[in-house]
Amino acid sequence: MKYLDYREHREQGTFNFPIAFYHENSHSPRYHMPYHWHHHYEILRIMSGAFHLTLDSNTRSYYAGDVIFITDGMLHGGNPDDNTCVYDCIVFDLQILMKDNHICSKSIFDIMNHKITINTLLSEDSSTILPIVDSLTSALSGRHTGYEFMTQGYLYQLLGIILEEHLYKENTCNLAEAGRLNSIKNVLSYISENYNSNISLDMLAKIAGMNPKYFCRYFRSMTERTPIDYLNYYRIECACEMLTTKNISVKEAAISCGFNDESYFIKIFHKYKGITPKQFSKMEF
């Protein structure tokens, strides 16, 4: 299972506790966040530096102290600034908070059914959000006895503050834009499942249901990359994961990630990472 996935199929946490925590710095293989989407919710906590994040078609820079809430199904991705950024990610299935005959069930259903949309920058409008998220990340990173209880409690507390302080908006639907976003999701899903195969621009445009010229323009407006540049970027991210988790050669990584020419793979790898695959594989993470 790939560590990074534009349409993520990997488990977040465990079946009984579907919450995952990631602490990211410049030495992490997952430091740069490729454009992707998943059915989980995500909280980003910027610890230091700046992070340039794209949510659907909007790009914004976030800074130390910011808490960002990413709803399910939202396309997102971004890059830390100058390797000085440190950030935490909490990825979770909201269903973990659903209980039989639970008084909170209706509010959670409203969030899951997109009747309400939680504000993106939670820390902007509330001084009580940051301490809760700090406690949440401490519980998840420490994993001391009973942390599962504390984690769920902090999530309930976080949702309670969001509802109490009205840190959400009623959902509106732009059908045309939603259709285009779904087209991009289909393309990203295809790339994640077939990145090791031969993929052409015409093929991706056909999947999106757009002519190649319009598709290139729209895709770039969403991801700040051309489709082929993005495909290569994704392949290199997958190669990084393989080189850090598997005992494989550079040639094997190249072939596994859709590169038939090892020298071209090394060239593209250096373009995105600034070092060779061999140098990367010797790094400690």
Side-chain angles (χ1 to χ4, degrees):
M1 189 170 291
K2 298 182 289 297
Y3 188 75
L4 296 173
D5 202 348
Y6 291 96
R7 159 66 174 93
E8 291 190 331
H9 303 282
R10 62 194 176 102
E11 291 286 341
Q12 298 290 354
T14 64
F15 177 78
N16 291 319
F17 192 69
I19 303 175
F21 173 75
Y22 307 100
H23 178 75
E24 309 295 350
N25 56 46
S26 59
H27 299 294
S28 305
R30 195 180 185 268
Y31 189 51
H32 293 269
M33 184 188 292
Y35 207 56
H36 68 290
W37 68 283
H38 44 63
H39 290 302
H40 296 83
Y41 295 79
E42 188 166 350
I43 298 170
L44 263 63
R45 161 80 160 94
I46 310 302
M47 307 297 293
S48 64
F51 192 94
H52 310 299
L53 180 68
T54 299
L55 299 173
D56 284 342
S57 57
N58 300 310
T59 301
R60 176 174 174 177
S61 295
Y62 297 93
Y63 303 93
D66 286 344
V67 175
I68 303 105
F69 190 94
I70 302 173
T71 193
D72 65 321
M74 178 176 283
L75 288 161
H76 59 285
N79 294 293
D81 188 31
D82 296 330
N83 292 332
T84 60
C85 181
V86 177
Y87 66 99
D88 291 336
C89 289
I90 302 166
V91 186
F92 61 99
D93 186 345
L94 198 57
Q95 297 242 25
I96 193 175
L97 303 181
M98 294 293 293
K99 311 292 181 184
D100 291 339
N101 300 317
H102 200 298
I103 194 171
C104 300
S105 295
K106 182 183 182 304
S107 295
I108 295 175
F109 266 126
D110 285 344
I111 297 170
M112 294 174 63
N113 294 332
H114 298 173
K115 289 185 177 180
I116 64 174
T117 301
I118 294 174
N119 294 353
T120 299
L121 184 55
L122 288 177
S123 55
E124 184 176 45
D125 302 313
S126 174
S127 60
T128 55
I129 290 293
L130 187 55
I132 298 172
V133 174
D134 283 344
S135 297
L136 178 59
T137 56
S138 295
L140 285 166
S141 60
R143 298 174 67 89
H144 300 301
T145 302
Y147 85 97
E148 298 95 340
F149 289 94
M150 291 188 291
T151 295
Q152 293 179 80
Y154 290 133
L155 283 174
Y156 278 123
Q157 188 178 5
L158 180 66
L159 292 178
I161 293 297
I162 288 170
L163 294 172
E164 180 185 40
E165 301 187 7
H166 209 276
L167 304 178
Y168 64 88
K169 56 182 176 294
E170 300 296 329
N171 209 17
T172 58
C173 182
N174 184 321
L175 295 179
E177 181 63 18
R180 287 192 290 269
L181 289 174
N182 284 332
S183 295
I184 296 299
K185 287 180 181 179
N186 291 336
V187 169
L188 298 180
S189 293
Y190 184 84
I191 289 174
S192 72
E193 295 167 5
N194 300 278
Y195 68 94
N196 57 347
S197 304
N198 184 34
I199 299 177
S200 68
L201 173 62
D202 287 343
M203 188 184 301
L204 296 177
K206 184 176 180 180
I207 292 169
M210 304 175 187
N211 69 63
K213 185 176 181 180
Y214 178 79
F215 170 65
C216 280
R217 186 167 64 248
Y218 185 70
F219 191 93
R220 187 164 192 168
S221 72
M222 295 288 293
T223 66
E224 299 184 352
R225 296 181 185 272
T226 67
I228 299 304
D229 177 39
Y230 194 72
L231 171 62
N232 284 332
Y233 174 62
Y234 180 77
R235 285 170 166 167
I236 295 303
E237 290 297 321
C238 290
C240 287
E241 188 273 336
M242 291 180 185
L243 289 169
T244 55
T245 60
K246 298 180 180 180
N247 184 23
I248 61 174
S249 67
V250 171
K251 184 176 182 179
E252 289 171 327
I255 294 173
S256 297
C257 294
F259 293 95
N260 296 321
D261 186 324
E262 184 179 352
S263 61
Y264 180 68
F265 168 69
I266 294 172
K267 177 182 178 181
I268 296 299
F269 192 101
H270 191 276
K271 172 185 175 182
Y272 291 114
K273 296 300 177 180
I275 57 176
T276 67
K278 189 174 183 179
Q279 290 171 326
F280 182 87
S281 63
K282 293 180 179 180
M283 294 176 64
E284 294 184 2
F285 297 100

